[in-house]
Amino acid sequence: DWKTPNNYEGYGRPALRNVLNFAESPYTLWAVEGKLTAVNQMHTWKFPILGADYSSPLKVTMVYNDPPGTPGADNVLVNDLDLVVQLTTLVTRYDVNLGITTTKQTFVINYGNKPPPDENAFVTGVEEGDRSNTVEEVVIQKPTSPTNVTLIVFSKRMSGLRQHSPQPYSIVVTGQLIPFYNAWNSTRRRVLELTGPGPSNVEDKLGKDDGILTAFDYFDIFKQIRVDSRNLELRLGVSPQLAVEMIADADLDKSGYLDVDEFGLCVRTLRLGNRRPKAPLYTEGPLDPFFLGQTGVLG
């Protein structure tokens, strides 16, 4: 089996086009660092994805540096952290008693460096994670519709020595994470035709250049120094629903319209390829077995 990771080449050589995020990259990249301070502590991040498949998988990697251990010890790792990726999916089951087929939404639990789970099987207990590696990875390649994903890092074992705590770690996620200004993607080309590519100087790109100001004035049909959903309907020919979604995506102060600063930030993001993902919902607390070992039906 030459799939990575394996005992011959580990994770293989890094392909930078699959690691670094460029304007033309077909995926979104998100990274975060954290620290766990005690055993049975859990950090979670929740975010939606547009989907996943074999050509554009969702890949989650956690890495950390473990403190030096004792030769011959039973436990290979001093501080043992685990990665879990939980997503919701639709599962179809045939009820032999009723003679009917039902489709329900269920949790699917993926442990780092472990084979994909059987979606049709209910998990009765907490699965055993990887007990020997400081690099754990989960790759979702099975075709998946838009869904919600929860990333979990928890401390299975922590050293009692003060110098071994807290334990830092890093997570990198690539895939079809929903980006900022996602509702603008269908009209991105038209908007950038109006604003132009912007200045070549990197520092100037942070300001409101002439292209942004000219386009803002173009969208501001009624000269109210604002751009609302009605403006977008008239100028871009989009549906009322999409226009409302576009405003909501860029309306940072929730005023119901865009001022020139919000419009400028949106344009600068679109110029860069619009691959910056929305910030996930972060929580932390004691280890909750519900996230780790139960495949529960939601409805």
Side-chain angles (χ1 to χ4, degrees), residues 188-203:
R188 175 174 176 266
R189 178 175 296 182
R190 173 58 178 155
V191 172
L192 295 187
E193 286 176 353
L194 295 170
T195 66
S200 57
N201 188 298
V202 174
E203 294 182 357

Side-chain angles (χ1 to χ4, degrees), residues 77-108:
L77 299 175
V78 176
N79 292 339
D80 188 358
L81 308 187
D82 277 340
L83 170 68
V84 176
V85 177
Q86 178 198 80
L87 67 155
T88 56
T89 187
L90 293 177
V91 174
T92 300
R93 294 188 175 95
Y94 179 75
D95 191 319
V96 294
N97 296 320
L98 300 178
I100 59 174
T101 300
T102 58
T103 300
K104 294 186 177 181
Q105 195 175 38
T106 182
F107 290 131
V108 177

